[in-house]
Amino acid sequence: MSGDPADGHRRPSGHVKVSRVSIMLGESDKAFRAVADLSFEVAPGELLCLLGPSGCGKSTVLGALAGHLEIATGAITLDGEPVAGPSPDRGLVFQQHTLFPWKKVRHNVAFGPKMRRVARRERLKAADDLLALVGLAGFEDFYPAQLSGGMQQRVEIARVLINHPRVLLMDEPFSALDALTRARMQQVLLDIWTRIPTTTVFVTHDIDEALFLADRIIVMSHRPGRVIDDIRLPFARPRHADLVTEPDFVRLKRHVMGLLRHRDT
Amino acid sequence: MATRPRQAVRWAIRAASIGACLGLWQFAATAHLNLGAVTFRNVPPPTEVAEAAVVLLRSPKLMAHLGSSLARVFAGYGAAALLGIALGIAIGRSRAASDLLLPPLELLRPIPAVAWIPLSILIFTSSEVSMIFITFIGALFPIILNTVHGVANVDQRLIASARSLGGNRLAILQEIVLPGAAPAIVTGLAIGMGTSWFCLVTAEMISGQFGIGYYTWEAYTLQNYADIVVGMLVIGLMGMGSSWALTSLGRVLMPWHRPSAVR
């Protein structure tokens, strides 16, 4: 990534503040409150996991952070500026199948710079560099459909990071992958995140995944989603796969399972 | 490999099937077979058709007829393709355009293009333009409808991704909506090409001066029965050629559409 003239974008910024946010979903008479009075903050450079049962509104919060959904009340700010509409500053990675099928991998990644009118040679060079960083050197000229699910998610991450976002928003990005690939992708994500420190909000319903990745976990209740716990994880980095069998990990896992089980019934 | 000989056998069966059809035709025509409701008394045998085809191939008439038919299809179908894709994108992308344009189009759509022939002869002072209009009408509706369908079915998450990556309205149209709708548009173009030929041949039979439909109908009125079948075969070949051209175009324009998986 060195030598990229756009590097000036990346400062230790990315302070996310969600204050007393409610979000309504659905058409007028069928509208319901998906998120109620939710508040939390993410420190610059922090990797935060939003953990909760399906339907708790965690993806809705992410959609609002991305600027795709409007909030009914409250405020969301990034470095003090209110969030208004989608922006490359807030890179969003979906669960699966959102690469542009008609663009080769290299051109998918270079899409953001193309929108900023970066010269062709320069943006393709930047795309190739990022593809190398996510471990996909040699696959630049493939179409997305020719790649495995894990490789496609690496391209997704590269396509978002090329814009030097101040915050990286990930909506259950690995949940469609098989268990082994998922574990490898978690490692890949931590590796990338260490090399390009970016504030990250990672939505998941997988307790192990949240505990393995995060600096901090916010546990959300059933709909309408509220914060039921805010846990700072004590595990050192770099983290390795055997972390999941350590006593501290297991103890925290039991604690979170208890939280979610109580609210489930 | 057991598949090779099996393939050879299948091809042999296919060839034999065509041969049998030709043989039956030859027999029925030379024997002047009369089955009451169906009679082969005036049907030329394949050998006569082949002779007539050779005569037509050698005569300058062929190029004149084909040339005028192709020119009409190019003009009518070309206009339908341009207008149909433009209208389809507008209707698929904008609610206002859909409310404004869709109702009249929905009213006109159930009318078969061939039913437009009498009116179009009355409207257009030149019979040439009226025939072009018929091919235009024939192709227009399948192209519009398939384009609308393709545009409306572009994955919303792709559009959301593009917006998150900094794409504005125009960029999303060019980079996401058009390629996303391309397979449906090509389908519409292929269906439109078929109806376009169908309408052209009918129009030429009624009001033509040259053209392959006119040639076929003229052969009937002049009692050159072998030429009727030659005309039919040429019409079939032209339809086949144009649909092959469209599929090839689709493959060139959409290389991503059927890539082989490596893993």
Side-chain angles (χ1 to χ4, degrees), chain A residues 12-177:
Chain A
S13 59
H15 176 214
V16 177
K17 192 168 179 190
V18 174
S19 0
R20 313 209 59 174
V21 163
S22 299
I23 303 172
M24 304 292 291
L25 288 183
E27 295 295 309
S28 48
D29 57 330
K30 283 182 193 153
F32 61 91
R33 194 174 297 273
V35 176
D37 202 25
L38 184 77
S39 299
F40 64 88
E41 283 188 48
V42 194
E46 192 171 41
L47 202 169
L48 175 95
C49 277
L50 278 182
L51 175 70
S54 37
C56 74
K58 54 194 191 299
S59 292
T60 309
V61 176
L62 209 68
L65 280 170
H68 288 301
L69 291 174
E70 288 199 12
I71 55 178
T73 58
I76 300 180
T77 59
L78 173 59
D79 296 327
E81 304 156 22
V83 163
S87 155
D89 250 359
R90 285 167 272 116
L92 179 60
V93 175
F94 287 95
Q95 194 180 94
Q96 59 173 343
H97 299 322
T98 50
L99 293 174
F100 307 133
W102 41 85
K103 287 181 183 289
K104 291 178 177 172
V105 162
R106 171 187 286 138
H107 297 284
N108 260 287
V109 176
F111 184 82
K114 186 179 184 185
M115 295 299 104
R116 291 199 307 271
R117 302 179 190 289
V118 173
R120 181 181 170 87
R121 177 192 294 253
E122 205 178 312
R123 66 178 187 248
L124 294 184
K125 168 83 170 67
D128 287 357
D129 288 350
L130 261 177
L131 282 168
L133 184 96
V134 299
L136 282 181
F139 290 93
E140 295 86 353
D141 285 322
F142 283 60
Y143 285 104
Q146 295 172 294
L147 302 183
S148 69
M151 293 163 96
Q152 291 183 18
Q153 289 311 85
R154 291 180 198 224
V155 180
E156 291 263 8
I157 294 169
R159 183 173 72 164
V160 161
L161 286 180
I162 200 168
N163 291 324
H164 308 289
R166 283 188 280 172
V167 56
L168 178 59
L169 306 170
M170 307 190 83
D171 191 1
E172 309 205 22
F174 308 143
S175 62
L177 305 175

Side-chain angles (χ1 to χ4, degrees), chain A residues 15 49 58 78 104 119 123 157 163 178 192-193 200 203 213 218 244 255:
Chain A
H15 176 214
C49 277
K58 54 194 191 299
L78 173 59
K104 291 178 177 172
R123 66 178 187 248
I157 294 169
N163 291 324
D178 65 87
I192 296 169
W193 178 77
T200 303
V203 161
L213 291 177
I218 287 180
V244 299
H255 168 69

Side-chain angles (χ1 to χ4, degrees), chain B residues 2 4 17 26-27 46-47 50 75 86 89-90 97-98 120 133 145 157 169-170 176 195 206 218 221 237 243 259:
Chain B
R4 275 217 160 271
S17 163
Q26 179 80 32
F27 164 75
T47 42
I89 288 172
S98 157
S120 71
F133 176 74
L145 293 174
R157 291 175 314 160
R169 251 183 104 81
L170 182 66
I176 315 299
T195 50
I206 292 172
E218 186 198 37
T221 52
L237 280 176
S243 93

Side-chain angles (χ1 to χ4, degrees), chain A residues 207 211 247-261:
Chain A
I207 299 174
L211 287 168
D248 275 351
F249 189 98
V250 176
R251 184 180 53 75
L252 270 173
K253 180 175 175 178
R254 199 169 289 141
H255 168 69
V256 175
M257 283 171 82
L259 286 173
L260 292 177
R261 193 176 304 128

